[in-house]
Amino acid sequence: MRKRIGIFGGTFDPIHIGHLRMALEIKQQLQLDEMLLLPCYLPPHRPTPGASAIQRVEMLEIALQGCTELQMDKRELQRNKPSYTYDTLCELRAEVGDQVSLCLCMGMDSFAMLDSWHNWDQLLQLAHIVVVTRPDWFLPESGAVADLLNLHCHDIDAVAQQAAGAIVLLEQRLIPISATDIRAQIHAGKSPQFLVPDAVWNYIRVNELYQ
């Protein structure tokens, strides 16, 4: 059977319950052998993170304690330059070979902006793209991303049948949690308890993050 690896990137600023639950559900729905969470160093399409790379890694390590289903991959932090998904997929594909199924996982908001990504039109040569649907976002109906979706949309079985090249749409019970909202709550002196793991909230308080 073909090995299947999921890749779920983000700033994780901070990591929260929504991130973790989405990653776990994708792993279970696609029956992945591994699900890698990749904190980025410098996001090309977002403001500079409020916490340092080291702090974001430490929060992610804390959040993943006791969770054998999810693993962290630090490769983007080791480049010391803007984090491009294309570079990451090239590295991973060189490491795992041509037969392993790589699944790049993202929300609909990210997928709608895919044509602004570095070498976006080459991503499907390296991996599948798994798009998690969100009730407040709609798939593009025209333009380059819509054309890509129309050409490459497949059902979930494609992940097991081929190593790359398919766009798969997944529906999930989404938890409406936003890292932006969490940072705003903390800045306003409010508690984000139960939106982030308790150990992560303790870390944020001890290190006085987002104030």
Side-chain angles (χ1 to χ4, degrees):
M1 182 178 294
R2 187 186 302 275
K3 185 175 182 179
R4 286 161 276 182
I5 299 176
I7 304 128
F8 182 39
T11 53
F12 303 124
D13 186 35
I15 183 74
H16 57 66
I17 297 297
H19 293 137
L20 297 166
R21 187 63 204 175
M22 179 186 291
L24 182 58
E25 288 196 14
I26 293 173
K27 184 175 189 290
Q28 293 171 344
Q29 285 178 274
L30 298 181
Q31 299 181 347
L32 302 177
D33 297 286
E34 299 175 29
M35 173 57 97
L36 306 178
L37 275 63
L38 286 88
C40 69
Y41 178 65
L42 289 175
H45 297 97
R46 293 175 180 265
T48 301
S52 70
I54 292 175
Q55 290 169 330
R56 289 183 288 117
V57 164
E58 289 177 345
M59 286 188 283
L60 189 49
E61 287 176 337
I62 292 169
L64 294 179
Q65 286 178 355
C67 177
T68 58
E69 297 285 336
L70 307 175
Q71 294 83 41
M72 176 165 50
D73 187 311
K74 302 179 185 178
R75 72 180 64 233
E76 292 190 350
L77 301 174
Q78 295 166 350
R79 293 194 198 120
N80 199 31
K81 63 179 183 179
S83 304
Y84 292 114
T85 299
Y86 174 79
D87 295 340
T88 298
L89 291 178
C90 286
E91 286 184 10
L92 280 167
R93 180 56 72 194
E95 290 171 13
V96 303
D98 295 335
Q99 298 305 309
V100 172
S101 177
L102 292 179
C103 300
L104 174 63
C105 307
M106 65 183 68
M108 285 178 65
D109 51 344
S110 295
F111 181 69
M113 299 173 55
L114 192 69
D115 57 345
S116 68
W117 291 28
H118 176 64
N119 287 347
W120 71 277
D121 54 348
Q122 299 178 43
L123 298 178
L124 284 175
Q125 298 174 23
L126 299 164
H128 303 294
I129 296 177
V130 177
V131 184
V132 178
T133 60
R134 290 176 52 164
D136 53 340
W137 283 80
F138 299 93
L139 290 169
E141 297 180 352
S142 62
V145 177
D147 292 342
L148 190 76
L149 177 63
N150 291 332
L151 283 172
H152 297 284
C153 189
H154 293 269
D155 62 27
I156 197 171
D157 294 336
V159 169
Q161 294 169 352
Q162 56 198 66
I167 299 175
V168 177
L169 306 179
L170 285 187
E171 293 186 7
Q172 283 192 353
R173 301 182 305 276
L174 292 178
I175 303 174
I177 301 175
S178 159
T180 302
D181 291 341
I182 290 172
R183 294 194 300 272
Q185 286 188 37
I186 296 170
H187 185 71
K190 299 177 181 178
S191 170
Q193 189 173 16
F194 308 126
L195 298 178
V196 298
D198 285 343
V200 172
W201 175 220
N202 289 335
Y203 180 96
I204 290 171
R205 284 186 292 179
V206 168
N207 290 276
E208 300 181 345
L209 297 178
Y210 312 122
Q211 295 184 6

